[in-house]
C-alpha cells in the first residue's frame, strides 16, 4: 500500500495581488500524474485545502476536478479541514462523497472514528483530526481552552479506539492527520514558520508537544508550510508551492509512505511545480544594469531591495522599466541610523521646530541635512511661524 502525505494546498490564494490559479492547476496536474505513475492508493490532505472559508466558484470547481481526477488515477482521498477552511462548507455531502472514495473529516467528533482503507492484503486506519479551535471545542470536550488540551483529549479518544481495535486482533497501522503547530522539543523555532501562515494563537500559545500524538504509527501534519520531520514518525509535508518570499528557498514536496506487513517506510517527494520567485538586493544602478538579472526581467515575481546610502528618486518607476513583475519593493539605507534624542522631550511646545524637522528628515532619509537644505527649511519655518493668523488677515 502506498500513501502520499500532502497538506496546505490553499486553493484560491493570490500572491501580492496576482492569482495563483494557474500554478495550482499545474500542481494538480503533477499530483495526478504522480499518483498514477507511483500507484498511490491513498492521498492525505492535512488541512487548508482552500485559502478562504468562502472560496470562489472557480476555486471550488478546481478542487472538484482535482478530486475526480485523483479518484480516476486510483487514489482514495482522506481530507481534513484546516484553519483556513470552512468546516461546514467543506463537509457538505461528505457521506455521499465517502461512498465515492473521498473521505472528508471536518468535525472533531469524527476524529476518533477511523477511515479504514485496504489495498490487497494490507489495511490502514486513518484518524483525521480537523483543525481544533479551542474557543469552540474546549467546552464540548470538557477541557481548558488551549490547543494542547483539546488535541490531547481528542488523541485520548483516538488511543482508546486503537486499543479497541488491537483487542479485536486488528493490526493495521494507525495514521493520524492533524492541523496544528507541533514541536518535539517543547519550543517551536520561528525559523520554521513563513510569512504566509495564519497565526492560530490562543492565549499567546499555539504550540503542542509531539508527545500528544503518542500511540500513532505516523502523524501527517499540516499548517506549517515548510516540509520537515518533527520526529521520524511525525512530519509536516509543507505546502505544494511557495506563498510568500519567506518560502523562496523551500523545497516543496511531501512524503510517500510505503506500508507493507504493518511496517511504514517514508520517502521524500519533491514537486517540480514551482513559484518563480526572486529576491534581488543592491544599489539602484546595479539592479538596473547587472546582466546577471536579465532572466528575472519577465516571468518572475520579484522582491527588489534597493540598498545604498540615500533613497534614490523615482527608484520604483525606473525599476519597473526593467522588471515586469515587482511584487515587493523596499529601500534599506547602508548608513547607521541617525542618533535619537538623548532624552525625550516632555512637552512639544518646548521643542525647537527646526530641531524637530531636522530629526524627522534625518530619520526618513538616513542622513543629515546639507547646509543649503537647512537654509531652505529655516526660511520655510520662519515664514510659517511668523505668518499672520487667518482671523487677523480677515479683520484687516
Amino acid at each position: 500500500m502506498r500513501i502520499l502525505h500532502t497538506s496546505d494546498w490553499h486553493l484560491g490564494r493570490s500572491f501580492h495581488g496576482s492569482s495563483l490559479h494557474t500554478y495550482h492547476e499545474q500542481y494538480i496536474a503533477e499530483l495526478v500524474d504522480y499518483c498514477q505513475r507511483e500507484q498511490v492508493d491513498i492521498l492525505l490532505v492535512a488541512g487548508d485545502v482552500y485559502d478562504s472559508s468562502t472560496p470562489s466558484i472557480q476555486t471550488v470547481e478546481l478542487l472538484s476536478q482535482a478530486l475526480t481526477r485523483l479518484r480516476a488515477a486510483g487514489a482514495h482521498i482522506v481530507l481534513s479541514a484546516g484553519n483556513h477552511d470552512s468546516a461546514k462548507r467543506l463537509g457538505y455531502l461528505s457521506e455521499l462523497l465517502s461512498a465515492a472514495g473521498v473521505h472528508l473529516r471536518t468535525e472533531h467528533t469524527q476524529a476518533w472514528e477511523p477511515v479504514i482503507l485496504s489495498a490487497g492484503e494490507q489495511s490502514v486506519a486513518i484518524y483525521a483530526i480537523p483543525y481544533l479551535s479551542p474557543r469552540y471545542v474546549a467546552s464540548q470536550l470538557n477541557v481548558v481552552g488551549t490547543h494542547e488540551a483539546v488535541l490531547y483529549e481528542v488523541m485520548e479518544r483516538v488511543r482508546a479506539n486503537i486499543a479497541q481495535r488491537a483487542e479485536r486482533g486488528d493490526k493495521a497501522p494507525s495514521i493520524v492527520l492533524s492541523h496544528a503547530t507541533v514541536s518535539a522539543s517543547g519550543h517551536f523555532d520561528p525559523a520554521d514558520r513563513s510569512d504566509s501562515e495564519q497565526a492560530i494563537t490562543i492565549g499567546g500559545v499555539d504550540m503542542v508537544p509531539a508527545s500528544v500524538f503518542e500511540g500513532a504509527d505516523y502523524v501527517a501534519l499540516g499548517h506549517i508550510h515548510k516540509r520537515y520531520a518533527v520526529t521520524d514518525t511525525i512530519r509536516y509535508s509543507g505546502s505544494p508551492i511557495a506563498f510568500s518570499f519567506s518560502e523562496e528557498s523551500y523545497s516543496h514536496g511531501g512524503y510517500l509512505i510505503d506500508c507493507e506487513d504493518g511496517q511504514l517506510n517514508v520517502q521524500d517527494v519533491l514537486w517540480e511545480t514551482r513559484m518563480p520567485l526572486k529576491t534581488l538586493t543592491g544599489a539602484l544602478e546595479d539592479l538596473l544594469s547587472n546582466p546577471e538579472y536579465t532572466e528575472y526581467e519577465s516571468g518572475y515575481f520579484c522582491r527588489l531591495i534597493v540598498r545604498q546610502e540615500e533613497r534614490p528618486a523615482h527608484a520604483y518607476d525606473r525599476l519597473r522599466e526593467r522588471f515586469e513583475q515587482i511584487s515587493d519593493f523596499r529601500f534599506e539605507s547602508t548608513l547607521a541610523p541617525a542618533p535619537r534624542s538623548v532624552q525625550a522631550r516632555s512637552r512639544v511646545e518646548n521643542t525647537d521646530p527646526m530641531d524637530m524637522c531636522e530629526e524627522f528628515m534625518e530619520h526618513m532619509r538616513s542622513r543629515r541635512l546639507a547646509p543649503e537644505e537647512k537654509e531652505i527649511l529655516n526660511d520655510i519655518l520662519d515664514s510659517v511661524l511668523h505668518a499672520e493668523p487667518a482671523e487677523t488677515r480677515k479683520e484687516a
Side-chain angles (χ1 to χ4, degrees), residues 143-218:
V143 297
V144 297
T146 67
H147 287 278
E148 180 176 355
V150 295
L151 255 179
Y152 183 84
E153 179 59 28
V154 168
M155 275 304 301
E156 281 287 83
R157 302 184 189 198
V158 169
R159 280 186 281 269
N161 186 272
I162 292 174
Q164 291 172 7
R165 289 178 33 241
E167 289 176 1
R168 298 194 301 266
D170 185 349
K171 298 181 180 179
S174 300
I175 294 179
V176 171
L177 274 67
S178 182
H179 197 84
T181 307
V182 180
S183 168
S185 64
H187 300 282
F188 194 83
D189 187 350
D192 290 327
R193 294 193 122 140
S194 80
D195 296 339
S196 63
E197 294 160 8
Q198 187 179 81
I200 55 175
T201 300
I202 298 294
V205 178
D206 66 347
M207 188 277 297
V208 299
S211 58
V212 163
F213 298 100
E214 184 179 348
D217 295 297
Y218 182 86

Side-chain angles (χ1 to χ4, degrees), residues 75 85 153 197 205 222 230 233 316 351 382 391:
D85 301 310
E153 179 59 28
E197 294 160 8
V205 178
V230 178
T233 60
Y316 179 82
T351 304
D382 186 66
E391 292 79 5

Side-chain angles (χ1 to χ4, degrees), residues 84-110:
H84 277 254
D85 301 310
S86 165
K88 295 292 185 183
R89 287 187 174 90
L90 189 60
Y92 180 64
L93 295 179
S94 59
E95 292 185 8
L96 180 61
L97 289 172
S98 183
V102 178
H103 307 274
L104 304 178
R105 291 294 183 265
T106 59
E107 302 295 335
H108 74 278
T109 52
Q110 301 171 309

Side-chain angles (χ1 to χ4, degrees), residues 292-353:
E292 294 181 6
Y293 302 155
T294 301
E295 66 176 298
Y296 310 119
E297 292 178 355
S298 63
Y300 273 80
F301 295 96
C302 292
R303 173 170 61 177
L304 302 182
I305 303 174
V306 175
R307 185 175 292 163
Q308 57 188 60
E309 287 189 3
E310 298 181 21
R311 183 189 297 271
H314 311 295
Y316 179 82
D317 292 335
R318 294 177 65 189
L319 289 167
R320 280 288 287 120
E321 294 178 1
R322 179 178 189 185
F323 298 98
E324 180 181 74
Q325 182 68 44
I326 303 177
S327 298
D328 189 9
F329 170 78
R330 63 189 66 178
F331 168 74
E332 295 179 358
S333 176
T334 57
L335 295 176
R340 308 293 291 179
S341 300
V342 176
Q343 182 177 4
R345 298 175 176 88
S346 59
R347 296 174 61 107
V348 173
E349 55 265 33
N350 290 336
T351 304
D352 186 289

Side-chain angles (χ1 to χ4, degrees), residues 232-249:
D232 288 341
T233 60
I234 303 176
R235 296 170 181 255
Y236 281 105
S237 66
S239 59
I241 58 176
F243 298 125
S244 70
F245 282 105
S246 62
E247 301 173 36
E248 184 177 339
S249 63

